[in-house]
């Protein structure tokens, strides 16, 4: 088993959290101290704290622990939390952040909706114990919105029933199925929640997105899909209402807030479903699946190579992501940004969202000024093609069209 562990990916089951490998190194080598095992694993003598992201120095981990069988990129994408959340950001940004992880510490600001204490599924651990002789922590089980196993639908365990000890502290160096280090018992429990089939379907979608490293949910693709979805309704409000009604029925929920609370993704005070999807990948996948059900034709809109210059038609669908990016920089209210992403002129968008036209117009002009400072004129011309969909919403050059 030692050779398999030090040689590669076969020693880590599919979707295993990289922390599993660190625990294995500690147990199967001469490193008696967790501190020396950590320093050896990351090849960083002074490294004491274990980074929850578990992608730091993946170049070293790839060449030493995995003997080069897994590339640094594969280590990150298959076995770290970043491998999941990177699916929510555009490819270029994801690659830049990945490059920062490979040689050293993760130097870019990035938040992850994760739990504080590691959790595990008894069914998963029992199956792996039979096959591999050990059980692994799973990446997906550490995502806040995943509150039951995405594979088995069973509760995620985190606490000892006998002494109440929370077992998933990352400095405990334990694996799923190990006895409680405090009382040496094997009686565990997790939170109890009401589960509907729609939630299980969502978790499977999230798990498949991580396993297959799907491109469908990256920020630009998401905004293109939202714009195309809204285009099929008479107003932005109608599109939002259609989603809300569909979700409440599919989830047998009395309100949308109960669904979002289950996903640990509460709706911002003045936010919308779409802005919530901007922030949380789980909500983005939830809404994407709902939009596909409401408008099946959206399934035929496949992921294009976003590195290629968009055609005039695709340029329209890139507009929302640019608007939201500049709105964030300017700290403009999310509800206003969502309204300005509608395929309407500023006045119509303000009326549809119940906003004051004058203040919405001022915010739109701020966004335009920011775009002019950050985007070359010719690129703005490509981004805002002169057709009826955006002619009333967009401005190019020195002319403001309101």
């Amino acid at each position: 088993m030692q050779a398999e562990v030090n040689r590669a990916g076969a020693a880590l089951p599919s979707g295993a959290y990289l922390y599993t490998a660190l625990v294995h190194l500690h147990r199967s080598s001469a490193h008696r101290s967790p501190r020396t095992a950590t320093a050896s694993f990351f090849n960083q003598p002074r490294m004491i704290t274990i980074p929850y992201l578990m992608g730091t120095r993946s170049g070293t981990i790839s060449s030493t622990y995995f003997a080069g069988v897994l590339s640094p990129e594969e280590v990150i994408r298959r076995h770290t939390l970043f491998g999941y959340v990177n699916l929510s950001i555009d490819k270029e940004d994801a690659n830049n952040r990945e490059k920062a992880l490979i040689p050293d510490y993760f130097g870019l600001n990035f938040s992850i909706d994760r739990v504080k204490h590691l959790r595990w599924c008894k069914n998963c651990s029992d199956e792996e114990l039979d096959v591999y002789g050990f059980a692994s922590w799973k990446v997906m089980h550490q995502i806040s919105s995943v509150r039951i196993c995405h594979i088995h639908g069973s509760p995620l365990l985190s606490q000892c029933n006998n002494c109440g000890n929370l077992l998933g502290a990352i400095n405990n160096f334990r694996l799923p199925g190990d006895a409680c280090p405090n009382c040496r018992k094997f009686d565990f429990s997790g939170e109890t929640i009401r589960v509907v089939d729609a939630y299980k379907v969502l978790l499977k979608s999230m798990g498949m997105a991580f396993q297959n490293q799907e491109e469908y949910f990256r920020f630009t693709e998401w905004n293109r899909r939202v714009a195309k979805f809204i285009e099929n309704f008479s107003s932005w409000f109608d599109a939002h209402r259609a989603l809300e009604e569909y979700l409440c029925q599919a989830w047998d929920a009395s309100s949308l807030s109960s669904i979002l609370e289950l996903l640990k993704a509460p709706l911002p005070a003045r936010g919308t479903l779409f802005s919530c999807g901007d922030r949380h990948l789980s909500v983005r996948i939830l809404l994407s699946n709902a939009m596909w059900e409401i408008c099946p034709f959206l399934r035929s809109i496949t992921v294009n190579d976003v590195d290629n210059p968009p055609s005039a038609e695709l340029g329209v669908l890139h507009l929302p992501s640019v608007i939201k990016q500049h709105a964030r920089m300017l700290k403009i209210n999310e509800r206003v940004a969502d309204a300005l992403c509608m395929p309407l002129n500023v006045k119509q968008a303000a009326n549809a969202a119940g906003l004051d036209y004058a203040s919405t117009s001022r915010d739109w002009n701020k966004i335009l000024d920011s775009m002019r400072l950050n985007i070359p004129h010719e690129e703005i011309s490509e981004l805002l093609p002169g057709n009826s969909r955006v002619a009333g919403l967009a401005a190019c050059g020195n002319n403001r069209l309101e």
Side-chain angles (χ1 to χ4, degrees):
M1 189 65 183
Q2 174 67 35
E4 293 178 357
V5 168
N6 280 339
R7 277 196 67 80
L12 283 186
S14 176
Y17 191 30
L18 189 58
Y19 173 68
T20 306
L22 174 56
V23 178
H24 261 297
L25 179 67
H26 171 54
R27 295 184 176 184
S28 61
S29 67
H31 300 293
R32 296 182 179 179
S33 163
R35 179 177 295 186
T36 57
T38 301
S40 175
F41 187 73
F42 293 101
N43 193 25
Q44 187 78 323
R46 295 183 179 180
M47 191 167 192
I48 300 174
T49 304
I50 303 171
Y52 70 85
L53 200 64
M54 289 304 300
T56 294
R57 299 182 68 83
S58 56
T60 296
I61 296 169
S62 167
S63 61
T64 56
Y65 186 87
F66 291 106
V69 177
L70 286 185
S71 70
E73 293 79 10
E74 288 175 320
V75 172
I76 291 173
R77 295 170 192 171
R78 293 185 187 183
H79 299 299
T80 74
L81 288 166
F82 184 72
Y84 171 74
V85 295
N86 96 88
L87 304 177
S88 66
I89 57 181
D90 284 336
K91 189 69 173 177
E92 182 178 359
D93 191 11
N95 289 341
N96 288 336
R97 294 170 186 267
E98 196 174 71
K99 289 176 183 176
L101 277 169
I102 291 173
D104 209 330
Y105 290 98
F106 189 59
L108 299 173
N109 292 327
F110 200 78
S111 61
I112 295 177
D113 294 329
R114 64 181 179 91
V115 295
K116 292 183 179 179
H117 294 87
L118 300 178
R119 304 175 300 182
W120 77 98
C121 163
K122 186 178 187 303
N123 291 332
C124 286
S125 62
D126 286 349
E127 289 173 2
E128 290 186 351
L129 281 168
D130 288 342
V131 176
Y132 303 109
F134 70 92
S136 68
W137 300 103
K138 297 294 184 183
V139 172
M140 290 302 300
H141 293 166
Q142 317 318 323
I143 305 296
S144 297
S145 55
V146 179
R147 301 173 71 178
I148 60 173
C149 179
H150 60 295
I151 299 172
H152 301 99
S154 50
L156 294 180
L157 308 177
S158 60
Q159 190 170 18
C160 175
N161 270 336
N162 184 61
C163 67
N165 185 31
L166 286 169
L167 302 167
I170 203 167
N171 58 356
N172 279 347
F173 278 74
R174 66 183 300 278
L175 292 175
D178 289 353
C180 171
N182 189 44
C183 67
R184 310 308 300 172
K185 300 294 184 181
F186 290 88
D187 185 15
F188 310 117
S189 64
E191 67 173 338
T192 302
I193 61 171
R194 174 178 173 269
V195 177
V196 295
D197 288 341
Y199 182 49
K200 295 180 181 179
V201 171
L202 171 63
L203 295 187
K204 287 186 181 295
S205 295
M206 292 167 61
M208 290 301 295
F210 171 63
Q211 180 178 327
N212 299 328
Q213 289 291 291
E214 293 176 358
E215 302 287 332
Y216 299 102
F217 308 108
R218 296 197 183 279
F219 191 73
T220 296
E221 292 296 326
W222 154 250
N223 279 297
R224 291 168 60 185
R225 191 176 301 116
V226 168
K228 198 67 177 176
F229 178 76
I230 293 175
E231 189 179 338
N232 287 272
F233 295 85
S234 57
S235 70
W236 173 88
F237 269 134
D238 287 342
H240 196 280
R241 188 182 302 112
L243 271 175
E244 186 170 356
E245 291 176 353
Y246 172 83
L247 289 171
C248 286
Q249 181 178 1
W251 286 65
D252 190 25
S254 58
S255 67
L256 191 62
S257 60
S258 63
I259 299 174
L260 298 179
E261 285 173 6
L262 178 65
L263 300 180
K264 299 294 184 74
L267 195 66
R270 292 190 175 183
T272 66
L273 269 175
F274 301 119
S275 61
C276 197
D278 289 344
R279 293 181 173 209
H280 302 279
L281 180 55
S282 59
V283 178
R284 192 178 302 182
I285 295 175
L286 168 72
L287 297 181
S288 294
N289 289 344
M291 288 189 287
W292 283 329
E293 292 298 325
I294 296 170
C295 296
F297 75 91
L298 289 175
R299 292 184 181 275
S300 63
I301 301 177
T302 57
V303 177
N304 293 284
D305 183 0
V306 295
D307 294 326
N308 292 333
S311 64
E313 180 182 359
L314 294 181
V316 176
L317 298 177
H318 281 281
L319 181 62
S321 61
V322 175
I323 290 174
K324 290 184 178 182
Q325 176 187 358
H326 288 270
R328 283 197 185 96
M329 290 192 296
L330 296 166
K331 296 183 178 179
I332 290 173
N333 185 280
E334 289 181 350
R335 187 178 175 191
V336 175
D338 281 338
L340 291 172
C341 291
M342 300 180 197
L344 306 169
N345 63 38
V346 176
K347 188 171 185 178
Q348 292 171 334
N351 290 338
L355 300 169
D356 176 66
Y357 166 61
S359 61
T360 304
S361 180
R362 286 194 296 271
D363 286 338
W364 172 238
N365 288 334
K366 290 177 184 177
I367 291 173
L368 284 176
D369 290 338
S370 177
M371 289 171 63
R372 292 191 184 100
L373 290 173
N374 292 276
I375 303 176
H377 173 75
E378 59 275 10
E379 290 187 20
I380 295 179
S381 299
E382 291 181 7
L383 184 68
L384 309 177
N387 61 42
S388 59
R389 248 203 99 208
V390 297
L393 178 66
C396 188
N398 295 317
N399 299 318
R400 298 176 190 273
L401 302 178
E402 300 180 11

